[in-house]
């Protein structure tokens, strides 16, 4: 039985997606990776569901904060570096990989490809991201959700930790969906009300060689 999560020290539209991510962690998860871990809040939660969690981020300030707040937890490791080029992340080593609002800071296709490579056969990937509105339908969805988003943020006293890097997304929701389906066959795409999308993908247990997946 999974233990209840302790209260969050703060709330925002990224933290709102944490419960769904934690529910997606496979039972008996050995190694988990949090890409763009920031101050380590999600990684610390993941440590309750996996034997070991690695967080990586390009911000030295965020990694320093994550290490400080982890209190030397033996199941947590935080790495400062570029996820796309880091040599400290072994291939096919992780049962679970997640990333929350970080992939739009990188080359999207390269990030998904690297995650796919690092995931063990049978492992699970969950990406929560931010994209831009491009089509009339996407703009209509944003406008319709805007009142609920404003009220939710006000009631929950939404805030972002000081020093957290921010960037505007370049890809539209449609571009994200198309690229993800090309790179991760069978991926489950969802659009969420608080201006986020999610991708959930289970890597095949048996490697597929004829289309470049492994």
């Amino acid at each position: 039985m999974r233990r209840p999560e302790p209260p969050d020290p703060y709330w925002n539209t990224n933290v709102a997606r944490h419960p769904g991510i934690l529910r997606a962690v496979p039972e008996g998860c050995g190694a988990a990776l949090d890409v763009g871990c920031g101050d380590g809040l999600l990684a610390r939660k993941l440590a309750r569901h996996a034997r070991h969690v690695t967080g990586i981020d390009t911000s030295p300030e965020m990694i320093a904060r994550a290490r400080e707040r982890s209190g030397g937890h033996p199941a947590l490791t935080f790495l400062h570096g570029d996820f796309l080029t880091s040599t400290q992340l072994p291939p096919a080593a992780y049962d679970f990989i997640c990333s929350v609002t970080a992939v739009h800071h990188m080359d999207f296709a390269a990030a998904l490809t690297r995650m796919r490579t690092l995931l063990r056969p049978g492992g699970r990937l969950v990406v929560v991201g931010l994209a831009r509105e491009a089509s009339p339908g996407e703009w209509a969805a944003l406008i319709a959700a805007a009142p609920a988003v404003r009220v939710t943020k006000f009631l929950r006293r939404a805030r972002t930790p000081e020093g957290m890097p921010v960037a505007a997304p370049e890809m539209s929701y449609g571009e994200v969906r198309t690229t993800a389906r090309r790179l991760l066959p069978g991926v489950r795409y969802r659009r969420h009300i608080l201006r986020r999308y999610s991708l959930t993908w289970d890597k095949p247990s048996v490697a597929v060689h004829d289309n470049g997946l492994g």
Side-chain angles (χ1 to χ4, degrees):
M1 180 181 296
R2 294 187 173 182
R3 294 167 290 176
E5 301 296 330
D8 292 315
Y10 57 86
W11 184 92
N12 55 42
T13 50
N14 294 329
V15 176
R17 303 260 46 94
H18 287 185
I21 293 170
L22 296 174
R23 286 193 297 270
V25 178
E27 291 291 341
C29 181
L33 174 65
D34 182 9
V35 178
C37 65
D39 66 0
L41 177 59
L42 177 57
R44 292 191 293 276
K45 295 178 183 180
L46 284 170
R48 299 168 63 86
H49 302 267
R51 287 192 292 275
H52 191 272
V53 180
T54 300
I56 184 168
D57 202 285
T58 57
S59 168
E61 293 82 10
M62 289 295 106
I63 287 296
R65 195 175 301 172
R67 288 170 176 164
E68 177 185 358
R69 293 179 180 177
S70 71
H73 195 304
L76 286 165
T77 299
F78 292 104
L79 305 175
H80 171 235
D82 184 340
F83 167 68
L84 297 180
T85 60
S86 175
T87 60
Q88 301 181 78
L89 304 173
Y94 300 96
D95 301 296
F96 183 72
I97 298 176
C98 63
S99 181
V100 180
T101 322
V103 291
H104 71 284
H105 291 258
M106 317 174 206
D107 180 287
F108 181 73
L112 290 192
T113 300
R114 185 94 202 273
M115 292 175 190
R116 187 183 72 190
T117 300
L118 297 178
L119 198 62
R120 284 187 180 132
R124 178 168 294 160
L125 168 65
V126 178
V127 173
V128 172
L130 177 64
R132 64 176 177 83
E133 288 73 20
S135 70
E138 289 168 353
W139 279 107
L142 174 67
I143 293 169
V149 172
R150 285 196 296 268
V151 170
T152 301
K153 286 184 174 181
F154 175 78
L155 293 177
R156 297 298 301 269
R157 299 180 180 179
R159 67 179 181 89
T160 299
E162 184 179 353
M164 188 76 77
V166 296
E170 296 183 358
M171 295 178 70
S172 70
Y173 288 95
E175 290 170 333
V176 165
R177 184 173 59 249
T178 298
T179 302
R181 287 174 175 171
R182 174 172 59 84
L183 294 173
L184 307 173
V187 68
R188 299 183 293 281
Y189 169 92
R190 285 190 61 192
R191 174 82 182 271
H192 299 282
I193 189 172
L194 295 177
R195 210 182 175 217
R196 296 291 183 272
Y197 68 82
S198 64
L199 306 171
T200 304
W201 183 67
D202 294 324
K203 187 171 183 176
S205 297
V206 178
V208 179
H209 300 289
D210 60 353
N211 64 358
L213 293 183

